Every structure is written in structure tokens, then in C-alpha cells.
Amino acid sequence: MTDPADLTVTIVDGYVDEPAHFGVPPYISTYPRFTAGALVDAGVPESNVVYHTIDELRDDRQKWRDVADADLMIYIGGMTVPGKYVGGTPAEPDEVRELAWVAEGTTLMGGPIRFGVGDENAGGQDMQRKDLDYDFVAKGDIEAAAYDLVDSALEGFGNRMRDNEELDRWAAKGAFVVEQHPNHPDHLICEMETSRGCAYRCSFCTEPLYGNPSFRTADSVVKEVENLYERGARHFRLGRQADILAFGGDGEAPNPDALRRLYGGIREVAPDLGTLHLDNVNPITIVEWPEKSREALSIIAEHNTAGDTAAFGLESADPVVQEENNLNVSADECFEAVKIVNEVAGWRPGDDPADAPTHGPGASNRLPKLLPGINLLHGLKGESKETFEHNKRFLQRVYDEGLMVRRINIRQVMAFDGTDMSDTGASIAQDHKQLFKKYKQEVREEIDRPMLRRVAPPGTVLPDVHLEYHQDGRTFGRQLGTYPLLVGIPGERELGQTTDIVVTDHGYRSVTGVPYPLDINEASMDELTAIPGIGKSTAGDIVVNRPYDDPGSVGIDANLLKYVQ
């Protein structure tokens, strides 16, 4: 019999992306942490558990020895929504197979990959279940499979879902894994599960495959945050749930008291946290329980960090598509939810919350505390040319009413077995691909850019932007958080550093900025000309006449002094 105390285990994180779960760096998902905790609970010493990301293995082939030599190699991955990523590249099916071939011990695969894989991690695809040459595939929870497999001396397990009592133990015991992540501690955000499953049954979504909502207690989540905080984590996202407003309730109605215990408890055990954001909110919750929702949103905005986003799954503003896909919110209802979030949480640090939403002259130079995000999904049953027009009209209405949304996520469906979309597949998305591309570009030009100017006008300060890559003579970076703005900075600056940035201009979904405050005596020509109102001639005069004892003596418009020191 294999003694768990002698077992060596390597966990490979190929990254996950689900409707209610991020795991591509700088995020670390719950799966590797819970799985590590389950292994320790089953008797495997912490020191015998090795964790690697797929990017680590790509960058350093020597680390493949940990894959080859482990008694048990566990692969975790799976993308059930399409996305584009900067911080990491999700594993492709061929890479997942290679891991199984290299491993000399027992191999176990799990996570949302159990729902299926496609030819690539992209939308407009039919996804199929495949074992990818692994000894075992967890068709239930990977953490439960790992526990049972160790407990059976690597002989096997019954596919099952873990319960909340097990989760309380495994979440606490698995916090040590974050220390092995290459982004730890400064550029890592921990995805936190408050619940999983969904009370609704939209045709395309994999979240209902987890069943009806199952909530953790506030104490359990707070304890996990405390353990992660003690291991050096400072950034947290309450993203693993279908609707944060329903936390601690019946799965539908808001429970403000439970949210007060959750958010207040997190702030108490993690007093110096850098990020506290969320993800999913169901707009129908806000419409059906407006007063409780207002109270809940106010609690969130009181405790979170600025720049937070509540993703709304509108999916389609077309009544035909809504009906055929069992979508639970209409365009009018979603508009009302957008309005309420703006009124309660659309204020900026330094502004009076009673004035929300705050934007325009006189507003603080920080991002709003909490804004909606809009998810639009294409390729659903019943989609026609009119669908695209319905969506554009909805977005234009939001903008014309002076409201704000943090981002608009437009994607095409991925069809998985077990969902209603499996019968239709990706055929509609494929038929409408050219129409989709044209419409997406129109939204970017007509809505995204002016909306971004409203949300983050020139002069907006973005603290702690992490510099990630160079391109075309510029440096690009992002803050940690939910759907952070991509920032382009003139010149090639040292990567891996963080710096405060002030916004100077806007793209469709990104901004240009310069270090804040800009040192007028050290700034480059490119940085100076990035400031609105300073052309090449003025920038040249500034450089020639340096140094300055006081930015006020530079001779530029007083409105531009907010950018410099």
C-alpha cells in the first residue's frame, strides 16, 4: 500500500476560465489550492506537493522532471468561456497530452476540462469530452478525486462532489500553494469561492451543471482569506459565484447582513490588502429586490477597492434570443439594474457617495468604486441580424442616459455537452462570424471609446500599474483587479515593476498614460507629448529650458499641472 506520507505529487495548473471563475495569471483559481488542501488532508505532507503553472513548464524544461518523477501528477485546467489573456497562455490539448506522456507515475486530470475541449481556446466551437491519455479523469470535483485517490492508495475513486465541510478544511490547508506561484506575492490575485451553481438555467452556461447554488459561510471565506493573507497574498477577488448579491441567502434574494459579515470580516483579517474586487451580479436580482440590492451594493462599495466591476449577464437584448435561450433578464430590466448600480456605487474615492454617479468636471481623479460590466454572447439560438441591432441600441441607451459601465464583453458561444446549446452547437456563431466582426468593431468605435472617456477621463490616476510587456516602443501594464484597464506608456520601462499612472488618452478598451506625477525635469519627449495640449513644439521648449525649480514656472496651461511635479 502507498503511504500518503511518502507520496510525491506535482500539480500542473493549465489555467481555467469559467462563467464564474478566473484562473489565468495574474489570477490563481481555487482548484489548485483546494486540491493541495485535499492532498494534505489525506496525509500528504505539504513539502511533498509541488505546484507549477503551464507557463513555468514552457519556460524551463528542467521543471518537467517534477512531472516525470512524481508518484501522482495532477493536471487542472479547462476553458468554458473564450477569452484573450495577457498574463498567461492556457494549455492547449496537445500540451495536456504531453504532460500525461511524460509523467511516469499515476496521472489525474480535472477541473472544467471535464466538460470538454475544442481544437483551441476560442469561441464559436463545439466542445467534446476527451480523456487526453490520462489514467483518471475526475468527472466530479478534482479536489474530491485527489483526496479519494490518495486514500485508495492510487487505486481509484468514485466521481463525486465535495461538501462544504470538506471545503472548509481543504481551503484552509491548501493556502500554502500560492507561495509556489511565480507571481507571488506582489502580482497574484486569489480567486475566492463564495458559492457555486446557479438558480437559473441559461442555455449555454456550464455553471448550472454544478447544481443549485451552494453557499459557503462568511466565516469560512474569511478564514481562507486569513490563511492566504498569512502566506503573503494581498489581492482577492470574490469571483467564484453566479451572483454575489445572493450570498448567504436562498440563491436569489439579496442578504445584506451576510455580505456585511463577509466584507467586514475580510477587511478585519486582511487590513493591508491591496485589492478586494468581485465579479458576477445577476441584474434580475437588483430589479426584483431593489431596496435590498441597494443596501447590499452600498456595503460592497464601502469595503471594496476602487475600479471594481459587477459583470451583468445580459447576453442578448433581443427578446427572441432571450426567450429561446431561457435568459432571465430583459434589456429594460438590465438597464434599470445598470442605473441602480450607478446610483449606489458609481462614486469615486474623494467624492460624496450621495452624488453618484460621479463623472465630468469636478469629479475625483480616481476610478469609480463599482460599475456594471455587460456580457453579450453571440451564436445563441434564435439569433438574427436584428439581434445585433438590439444590442447596439441597448448600449447606446446606457451611454445617452449618462450612465457608466466599466467594460462590454462581446464573445461567441462555446457549446458544451450537458447544456441546451449542445443540440445547436456553434453553427449559428460560425454562420454569423463576419456579421459579428463588423458589429464588434462598431461597438468598440461608437460605444467603448466614449464610455471609457467617461469612466476614466484624462487626469484619472491609476495606482500600482504592473508593467507586463513591451510592444512598438511602448510598455503595457495593468492594475490587479477585475477587468483591469490595459495601459500603454511611452518608452520601454523595466518590466515587473509597479508605478502610478495618469491617463492621457483612450483607445477602444485601453488607455494611454504617463507616470504620475510626471517629473518635468526627467520626462522624455514622448511622455511630454502624450499629455493633452502639449505638442512637439511645446515639449521641445520644455526640454530646452530645463531644469525647473517649480512645475508652475514651466509656462504651460494650469490645467496641465495636474500631470506633473
Side-chain angles (χ1 to χ4, degrees), residues 372-433:
I374 302 296
N375 294 340
L376 295 171
L377 185 60
H378 288 271
L380 296 174
K381 292 181 289 185
E383 181 176 281
S384 65
K385 291 182 179 180
E386 285 71 30
T387 302
F388 298 88
E389 296 304 317
H390 279 289
N391 288 349
K392 287 168 59 180
R393 282 196 296 271
F394 168 80
L395 297 173
Q396 191 66 55
R397 179 187 179 194
V398 170
Y399 182 80
D400 290 346
E401 289 293 323
L403 302 174
M404 295 182 287
V405 295
R406 169 55 198 86
R407 70 97 179 89
I408 301 164
N409 188 18
I410 302 172
R411 54 201 167 93
Q412 287 188 300
V413 71
M414 300 170 81
F416 288 89
D417 287 344
T419 68
D420 290 345
M421 276 300 297
S422 62
D423 295 333
T424 304
S427 59
I428 296 173
Q430 291 163 359
D431 290 344
H432 290 172
K433 217 164 191 70

Side-chain angles (χ1 to χ4, degrees), residues 10-70:
T10 294
I11 299 172
V12 176
D13 189 348
Y15 311 143
V16 305
D17 193 357
E18 300 182 85
H21 204 170
F22 280 3
V24 181
Y27 301 93
I28 181 170
S29 75
T30 65
Y31 292 114
R33 300 178 349 237
F34 294 172
T35 300
L39 293 167
V40 171
D41 197 39
V44 180
E46 278 187 21
S47 58
N48 285 15
V49 179
V50 173
Y51 167 85
H52 289 312
T53 68
I54 188 65
D55 283 311
E56 281 185 273
L57 298 180
R58 291 179 183 125
D59 294 340
D60 186 353
R61 293 295 300 188
Q62 292 186 358
K63 292 183 177 180
W64 283 75
R65 292 306 315 170
D66 293 328
V67 174
D69 295 344

